[in-house]
Amino acid sequence: MGHFFRLFTITFTVLRFGLDEVAMSGFRQRWVRALVRVATFGRQLQAPRGERLRMALERLGPIFVKFGQVLSTRRDLLPLDVADELARLQDRVPPFPSDQSRALVEKAFGRRIEEVFSQFDTDPVASASIAQVHFAVLKDGREVAVKVLRPSMLGIIDHDLKLLYTLAGVVERVWTDGKRLKPREVVAEFDVYLHDELDLVREAANAAQLRRNMQDLKLVMVPEMVWELCTPTVMVMERMKGVPISQIDRLREAGVDIPKLARDGVTIFFTQVFRDGFFHADMHPGNIQVSIEPATFGRYIALDFGIIGTLTEWDKEYLAQNFLAFFQRDYKRVAELHVESGWVPPNTRVDSLEGAIRAVCEPHFDRPLKDISLGQVLMRLFQTSRRFNVEIQPQLVLLQKTLLNIEGLGRQLDPELDLWNTAKPFLEQWMHRQVGWKGFVERLKHEAPRYAQLLPELPRLVHQALEQRREADPALLALLAEQRRTNRLLQAVLFGAVGFIVGALATRLLMQWRGW
């Protein structure tokens, strides 16, 4: 019943804000148009289409707001007026009341807000789909930012996720590509990440890990957490001062090298993905600022660490090999990697897959980013993947989403950015470290403690394995019995030889002693 009511709410919201105009225009039946008029009675469509879309997504809740955030970075796929309006979803979602925010902070700390802060700004500086942020000053004078989780968020998200699971199941059953696209597994991935985002202690831990990883890169700053004031619903961190990355004119006036900033963003992303396997997976412009302070001029400032992506060593190596093969236009290797990874059936003809990938990617090389539509490339690749039954990997969904964010940022900063040539040297160096002598030594050092612990136990483990195998394998039992007989024979021969030699030596010594 709850799912039905939510579906009704979504349908009503779509109609209420006039998002049905294009979809319904294809229906000629009078009863359909009559039903639409009844359902949309009293709606106001004077507002521009972008504003109506933004308001509809805000009304539908946090999952839909996040969808709008991703769309806002794709100015190559959206009309400019719609993209500008959706950009407001990044950090200008309507806030909840200040007195409610104050009560939530006091409830989390178990004391009055004046006992924790010498100053607390009641008006939020940013408001997003999951939480809002207030500036404050601690008793010791430190300037901090206080992130407060929106009330009743868990119930709202759980309800929408249940609906998404239901819809994913329907898609998997009725759509021919449903099983291949694994919609339920994809929803399960987002389920995990959305629930992680609702725990601000986990977000603080993500920020601390990312801060350690990026400390030696000197290209990005991550705020330090005030751990004694971090709870599941309230998080206190160092206040960062920067200019939103979307304000390019202001950055240019401050003297920031915009093309370098774009290249640094690519370097940061590929470092997080391929070196650390731990990357910021919500990199829309509302979460990125740039420092103009003299000591840290031109560095990125990362904010909002609720969604973090992780990759295994196998994932990193597979992706790096694919990227390098693309950069080198080695489409045969790309096709072979798809077969080796099990992403396509083992009986797939490599030459056919190679030709299809070449047809999609070759036209886009040696062109600036402004002339490349990744949306069109992804659409062609999707069509190709359907033809060859490529399976979608749910663990890489966040990486795909982040790649779209990165491309959107790159388009805003430097339309002339050559994404391929910027990333290629980094990936080549990374692969050299992985497969070269240096990489071998580093992995050996990393595994040495484990080997040191395992080696003394190795004889016992081998013996246990042989005993278990012997119980299940009569042939091995006979082989071991034959080996024992051979060992006894060798022992008898050895002892006999030793006895003969000892006896001969004793006789020789006795003869010498007696003068014989």
Side-chain angles (χ1 to χ4, degrees):
M1 188 63 182
H3 290 350
F4 176 79
F5 180 76
R6 182 56 171 164
L7 281 172
F8 174 79
T9 302
I10 294 172
T11 304
F12 178 81
T13 302
V14 167
L15 297 175
R16 175 71 179 81
F17 288 94
L19 306 183
D20 59 289
E21 293 170 318
V22 176
M24 293 298 178
S25 62
F27 287 92
R28 297 182 179 274
Q29 292 87 346
R30 292 182 179 180
W31 69 269
V32 173
R33 287 184 284 181
L35 179 62
V36 171
R37 282 196 294 270
V38 171
T40 59
F41 177 77
R43 71 177 179 182
Q44 301 294 325
L45 299 183
Q46 289 82 3
R49 57 181 180 177
E51 182 179 347
R52 287 188 275 121
L53 176 58
R54 173 183 59 80
M55 294 171 64
L57 294 176
E58 289 174 352
R59 183 71 61 86
L60 290 173
I63 291 181
F64 296 89
V65 168
K66 286 197 168 295
F67 176 70
Q69 290 173 351
V70 174
L71 281 180
S72 70
T73 66
R74 300 314 316 278
R75 292 176 177 267
D76 60 316
L77 303 179
L78 294 175
L80 188 59
D81 61 318
V82 175
D84 288 340
E85 194 65 36
L86 290 181
R88 298 185 59 188
L89 294 172
Q90 292 165 3
D91 58 357
R92 292 190 293 275
V93 178
F96 54 88
S98 299
D99 57 345
Q100 194 174 20
S101 178
R102 183 185 180 96
L104 290 170
V105 173
E106 292 181 341
K107 180 181 178 181
F109 295 151
R111 42 188 169 152
R112 297 180 66 250
I113 206 165
E114 290 78 11
E115 298 177 23
V116 182
F117 306 104
S118 61
Q119 178 184 335
F120 183 86
D121 296 345
T122 55
D123 294 331
V125 66
S127 179
S129 57
I130 298 294
Q132 65 187 34
V133 179
H134 300 258
F135 285 152
V137 180
L138 294 176
K139 292 291 187 179
D140 59 8
R142 284 182 292 170
E143 293 183 308
V144 295
V146 183
K147 186 170 185 176
V148 185
L149 194 69
R150 285 181 176 270
S152 306
M153 284 301 302
L154 183 61
I156 296 172
I157 286 182
D158 281 345
H159 195 278
D160 278 356
L161 282 171
K162 288 180 181 178
L163 178 61
L164 287 177
Y165 276 116
T166 301
L167 293 175
V170 172
V171 167
E172 193 168 287
R173 286 193 298 270
V174 303
W175 194 23
T176 55
D177 284 335
K179 291 184 178 181
R180 181 179 65 83
L181 296 176
K182 302 179 180 179
R184 286 188 292 184
E185 294 183 38
V186 171
V187 173
E189 285 286 315
F190 278 107
D191 187 346
V192 172
Y193 291 116
L194 282 171
H195 279 88
D196 287 350
E197 197 173 4
L198 293 178
D199 183 355
L200 296 186
V201 172
R202 180 183 289 271
E203 179 176 344
N206 290 339
Q209 181 65 53
L210 199 64
R211 179 183 170 90
R212 283 193 298 271
N213 292 348
M214 295 288 99
Q215 198 163 10
D216 61 340
L217 195 60
K218 306 300 182 185
L219 294 178
V220 61
M221 298 187 297
V222 178
E224 184 178 5
M225 299 295 110
V226 183
W227 280 108
E228 62 270 22
L229 296 177
C230 290
T231 72
T233 57
V234 176
M235 181 177 72
V236 179
M237 67 193 115
E238 173 190 6
R239 177 178 173 179
M240 309 299 287
K241 298 180 180 180
V243 177
I245 199 168
S246 58
Q247 299 181 12
I248 300 176
D249 291 339
R250 185 178 169 189
L251 291 172
R252 190 176 284 112
E253 290 173 2
V256 176
D257 186 341
I258 301 300
K260 179 180 182 300
L261 193 66
R263 294 192 300 270
D264 288 347
V266 175
T267 300
I268 291 168
F269 171 72
F270 280 98
T271 300
Q272 291 179 2
V273 170
F274 292 104
R275 188 193 70 179
D276 305 323
F278 189 90
F279 61 94
H280 193 304
D282 201 14
M283 295 183 67
H284 62 76
N287 289 337
I288 304 294
Q289 297 181 357
V290 179
S291 174
I292 57 174
E293 299 291 326
T296 56
F297 186 80
R299 293 189 190 179
Y300 280 82
I301 298 174
L303 302 171
D304 195 344
F305 312 95
I307 302 181
I308 292 290
T310 58
L311 296 174
T312 65
E313 290 297 323
W314 188 92
D315 289 334
K316 291 192 294 183
E317 183 175 349
Y318 172 78
L319 288 169
Q321 290 189 40
N322 263 288
F323 273 115
L324 285 175
F326 271 120
F327 294 151
Q328 296 166 359
R329 307 189 190 189
D330 187 355
Y331 305 114
K332 181 179 180 181
R333 181 56 184 155
V334 175
E336 290 173 345
L337 285 167
H338 275 68
V339 176
E340 292 172 5
S341 67
W343 285 21
V344 295
N347 59 349
T348 301
R349 287 189 54 178
V350 172
D351 58 339
S352 298
L353 182 57
E354 174 192 354
I357 295 173
R358 179 185 295 109
V360 172
C361 299
E362 188 66 25
H364 300 281
F365 276 98
D366 297 329
R367 298 170 61 189
L369 191 59
K370 69 175 182 178
D371 296 332
I372 300 175
S373 172
L374 185 57
Q376 293 180 4
V377 176
L378 290 177
M379 183 61 67
R380 291 285 306 277
L381 285 174
F382 175 79
Q383 294 170 351
T384 301
S385 69
R386 181 168 59 183
R387 173 184 167 193
F388 289 93
N389 296 317
V390 176
E391 292 190 358
I392 302 301
Q393 303 301 305
Q395 75 273 18
L396 302 181
V397 169
L398 270 183
L399 181 62
Q400 296 167 4
K401 167 184 174 293
T402 308
L403 279 171
L404 293 178
N405 291 148
I406 291 295
E407 190 204 21
L409 280 174
R411 287 186 183 278
Q412 293 183 30
L413 291 174
D414 182 15
E416 301 294 333
L417 174 68
D418 190 335
L419 186 64
W420 318 118
N421 287 333
T422 304
K424 183 179 177 181
F426 178 90
L427 288 172
E428 288 176 340
Q429 294 175 10
W430 183 84
M431 285 297 294
H432 179 71
R433 289 195 300 268
Q434 290 295 109
V435 303
W437 175 253
K438 184 178 180 181
F440 172 75
V441 173
E442 289 179 355
R443 288 194 298 273
L444 191 61
K445 288 181 180 179
H446 178 73
E447 297 291 342
R450 187 180 304 175
Y451 293 152
Q453 182 180 5
L454 180 62
L455 284 175
E457 301 178 1
L458 193 58
R460 176 175 58 83
L461 295 175
V462 172
H463 176 73
Q464 290 178 350
L466 289 174
E467 288 293 326
Q468 294 173 358
R469 179 72 184 274
R470 183 182 65 182
E471 295 176 359
D473 193 339
L476 180 62
L477 181 62
L479 179 62
L480 291 175
E482 181 65 25
Q483 184 179 10
R484 281 196 293 269
R485 287 194 295 271
T486 303
N487 288 341
R488 286 196 293 268
L489 178 61
L490 290 174
Q491 289 173 358
V493 172
L494 179 62
F495 289 151
V498 171
F500 175 79
I501 294 172
V502 170
L505 289 174
T507 303
R508 179 65 176 170
L509 289 174
L510 180 61
M511 293 175 63
Q512 290 180 350
W513 179 64
R514 294 196 174 205
W516 293 349

